[in-house]
Amino acid sequence: MKFIIKLFPEITIKTPPVRKRFIKQLRKNIRTVLKRVDENVEVAGSWDFIELATSHDDPQLVAQVSDLLSHIPGIAYWQQVVEYPLTDMDDILEKALVVNRELLAGKTFRVTCQRSGKHDFQSIDVERYVGGGLNTRTDAAGVKLKNPDVVVKVEIKGERYFLVTQRGSGLGGYPLGSMEPVLSLISGGFDSTVSSFLTMKRGIRTHFCFFNLGGHAHELAVKEVAYYLWSRFGSSHNVNFVTVPFEGVVEEILTKVDNSQMGVILKRMMLRAATQVAKEMYIEAVVTGEAVAQVSSQTLTNLAVIDSATDHLVLRPLIAMDKQDIIDISIKIGTEEFVKNIPEYCAVISRNPTTRAKPEKIESEEARFDFSVLESAIESRRKVSVTDIIADDLTREEVEVVETTKQDDIVIDIRHPEEEEINPFSLPDREVLTIPFYQLRAKFTELDKEKHYLLYCEKGVMSQLHAMHLRDEGHENVGVYNPGKK
């Protein structure tokens, strides 16, 4: 099957060298991501669009490719097409009849033609000729130029033409890797997950930094959402997940800092730690999910005081966004369900937090802080590749991972419903339950405690994280089914 991929419009207005560089990066990213489902996929194109050809036309493969293309930064939209050599308009009409006859029955339609190259006709000539032929030779309800039921698309490229059979929206933005990397501070909430997504969408390779304030369950949950973001929107590039143990820092703040100043000082400590981590990773900017006035520490005055703790660039993609807009994006990208199930851990809550922090007051409070505690936290950080995100947990948690199931095992498919629909999973003579990962924690308690359950997902990573999560909560009857385990 062939696909035509249209570039994010901002790419097309770049200077020729930059445009070529961005397109080259996008081709590479598409090839890297799609090879997960089709080793022999072909990707070509260098200026106006990118052409993609799958190795076969199996509907499941086509559905997987379509889904992946919709989540790769840099793509405005994609079209599934049938390609023909250009001869004359009669041939275009005959092929359009084959492709669209059943689709047009009882529906209004119009024909659009996009054309590039030298021809002895105009795009409007094709639209009128093909539109007239379809109107008289099908059971269509007639031509309707405004808001028709169906739009018949024809694309002519030199001596070839394409009939569009399906179209899907892309993510927009720039190709991942076309910008310098950043380190995103991620807590697992709405704000930090959406801000991380927005930098990825803008073509920025986004590493993750998590400050553990005292809970293993929280860390596991944040790893789950970080892995999801990466696998869904950024898997063309490997990134790191950094965990900084901040329990000692929190204790130091709670015992030595004035109550009203604790929130601002905690943010300054996080920014200091993130800056040092970023510098050692040769990263020039850190990202936070802060928005003006969303909480007390996010007034302009407080943000200025917080930023004065670092000489690094601090990016805030959400700075002027409303909370509901942030939540809407979270719903759209699929992180809302993660956020609703993130265990809450309130480490520093001020009774009367300052909204107008004064530099001299902050300096006075920080003078009582033992900065060796902060340095110890930074030195104790763990950095793992996102592809090995469970590695440091597996040293503490024994999670059963099997390649084959036993007769009494019940497999639970925890994949996202969209993924499960595209690529259904079943096992002969085995019971398979379908419980999306974001419902698993609540629904697992309703299952028969006498039975043994194996979690399943595509790569085995999300299932291991969730198995650890359940075992942390006292469920010993859970393991992982990973038929691709090596």
Side-chain angles (χ1 to χ4, degrees):
M1 181 61 67
K2 183 175 284 287
F3 291 81
I4 297 296
I5 297 165
K6 298 292 185 174
L7 310 175
F8 176 54
E10 287 184 28
I11 297 175
T12 65
I13 62 175
K14 301 295 182 185
T15 61
V18 174
R19 179 171 175 172
K20 288 179 180 178
R21 177 168 62 85
F22 278 21
I23 295 172
K24 181 179 180 180
Q25 183 68 65
L26 181 55
R27 285 201 316 268
K28 180 180 178 181
N29 294 353
I30 293 170
R31 190 178 295 110
T32 298
V33 172
L34 293 190
K35 282 199 170 187
R36 286 164 27 195
V37 297
D38 185 359
E39 182 65 32
N40 297 313
V41 66
E42 296 180 1
V43 183
S46 59
W47 189 251
D48 290 327
F49 62 95
I50 291 174
E51 292 184 46
L52 182 154
T54 61
S55 59
H56 54 85
D57 295 344
D58 177 73
Q60 182 174 307
L61 173 63
V62 172
Q64 289 177 305
V65 169
S66 301
D67 179 64
L68 291 171
L69 289 177
S70 294
H71 297 90
I72 297 175
I75 297 176
Y77 63 91
W78 55 265
Q79 297 177 146
Q80 187 177 318
V81 300
V82 183
E83 179 183 350
Y84 304 99
L86 179 62
T87 54
D88 52 38
M89 282 192 279
D90 284 330
D91 182 70
I92 298 177
L93 173 57
E94 292 302 322
K95 299 299 192 301
L97 283 165
V98 173
V99 171
N100 295 283
R101 189 186 300 275
E102 293 184 8
L103 181 63
L104 294 180
K107 298 178 181 178
T108 59
F109 76 97
R110 66 184 172 95
V111 177
T112 65
C113 176
Q114 290 186 326
R115 183 181 58 86
S116 62
K118 294 183 178 180
H119 307 99
D120 58 2
F121 55 83
Q122 301 297 315
S123 296
I124 194 171
D125 299 327
V126 177
E127 294 170 353
R128 288 172 175 169
Y129 189 84
V130 175
L134 293 176
N135 193 37
T136 58
R137 296 175 61 182
T138 69
D139 294 326
V143 175
K144 186 180 179 183
L145 298 182
K146 271 193 173 183
N147 301 317
D149 298 321
V150 178
V151 177
V152 176
K153 296 179 180 293
V154 181
E155 294 218 9
I156 301 174
K157 306 292 183 184
E159 298 304 313
R160 302 176 296 161
Y161 73 93
F162 307 96
L163 292 177
V164 178
T165 59
Q166 187 177 353
R167 170 179 164 137
S169 297
L171 199 61
Y174 291 139
L176 199 66
S178 58
M179 304 293 168
E180 297 87 343
V182 295
L183 182 68
S184 182
L185 279 58
I186 186 166
S187 66
F190 284 110
D191 302 337
S192 65
T193 53
V194 171
S195 62
S196 298
F197 161 74
L198 290 176
T199 54
M200 295 165 74
K201 177 184 175 183
R202 199 62 179 172
I204 303 172
R205 186 178 180 186
T206 302
H207 300 269
F208 303 102
C209 184
F210 169 65
F211 292 95
N212 193 331
L213 304 181
H216 184 217
H218 189 189
E219 179 178 345
L220 282 174
V222 174
K223 284 181 173 179
E224 290 167 6
V225 71
Y227 181 83
Y228 171 84
L229 283 169
W230 171 80
S231 64
R232 197 64 169 149
F233 306 108
S235 62
S236 59
H237 289 70
N238 193 25
V239 299
N240 292 312
F241 185 95
V242 180
T243 300
V244 184
F246 240 49
E247 299 97 324
V249 174
V250 170
E251 182 180 357
E252 189 76 5
I253 291 174
L254 289 172
T255 56
K256 295 184 178 179
V257 171
D258 180 82
N259 184 278
S260 63
Q261 312 296 313
M262 291 193 303
V264 170
I265 289 178
L266 176 62
K267 292 290 183 70
R268 283 168 61 89
M269 296 300 171
M270 288 180 172
L271 209 50
R272 287 186 174 106
T275 297
Q276 188 165 328
V277 171
K279 286 181 177 179
E280 293 180 14
M281 294 174 65
Y282 302 99
I283 293 174
E284 298 180 358
V286 297
V287 177
T288 78
E290 292 159 317
V292 168
Q294 192 174 114
V295 295
S296 59
S297 65
Q298 295 173 17
T299 63
L300 290 178
T301 300
N302 285 356
L303 290 175
V305 172
I306 291 169
D307 280 6
S308 67
T310 181
D311 57 357
H312 238 46
L313 175 64
V314 180
L315 301 178
R316 296 184 170 93
L318 313 183
I319 194 66
M321 291 183 66
D322 297 333
K323 187 66 175 185
Q324 189 57 53
D325 293 335
I326 297 169
I327 293 173
D328 289 344
I329 294 176
S330 181
I331 294 171
K332 183 177 179 181
I333 66 177
T335 57
E336 180 208 21
E337 296 290 352
F338 284 98
V339 174
K340 290 195 300 187
N341 290 280
I342 292 279
E344 294 187 7
Y345 184 81
C346 301
V348 174
I349 300 178
S350 298
R351 288 186 297 273
N352 295 296
T354 181
T355 57
R356 290 183 173 275
K358 300 185 184 307
E360 59 272 17
K361 174 66 173 175
I362 294 295
E363 290 174 8
S364 173
E365 293 297 320
E366 288 187 345
R368 296 197 291 271
F369 185 94
D370 183 357
F371 275 85
S372 68
V373 175
L374 177 64
E375 290 302 317
S376 177
I378 297 171
E379 290 173 5
S380 301
R381 70 186 181 275
R382 301 192 309 275
K383 182 177 76 171
V384 295
S385 165
V386 72
T387 57
D388 298 322
I389 204 168
I390 58 175
D392 55 344
D393 284 298
L394 287 178
T395 62
R396 293 180 287 165
E397 289 288 330
E398 290 293 331
V399 176
E400 174 193 23
V401 181
V402 300
E403 297 181 58
T404 58
T405 61
K406 298 177 182 178
Q407 186 63 42
D408 295 332
D409 288 337
I410 297 175
V411 177
I412 303 177
D413 185 348
I414 69 167
R415 294 175 299 164
H416 193 282
E418 290 181 1
E419 185 181 359
E420 193 273 332
E421 182 181 355
I422 290 171
N423 189 16
F425 172 77
S426 63
L427 284 173
D429 303 320
R430 291 289 184 278
E431 184 177 359
V432 177
L433 304 178
T434 301
I435 305 177
F437 55 82
Y438 50 79
Q439 296 177 353
L440 184 65
R441 193 168 170 225
K443 290 193 173 184
F444 197 84
T445 57
E446 303 172 4
L447 301 178
D448 188 340
K449 294 179 176 57
E450 301 302 317
K451 294 187 180 294
H452 187 255
Y453 301 92
L454 297 173
L455 308 185
Y456 168 79
C457 66
E458 181 188 3
K459 298 291 186 182
V461 176
M462 290 290 286
S463 53
Q464 289 189 61
L465 288 170
H466 279 279
M468 282 185 244
H469 214 147
L470 291 171
R471 291 176 71 86
D472 270 0
E473 296 181 347
H475 301 288
E476 300 294 331
N477 58 333
V478 61
V480 171
Y481 175 56
N482 184 6
K485 179 177 176 289
K486 296 181 180 180

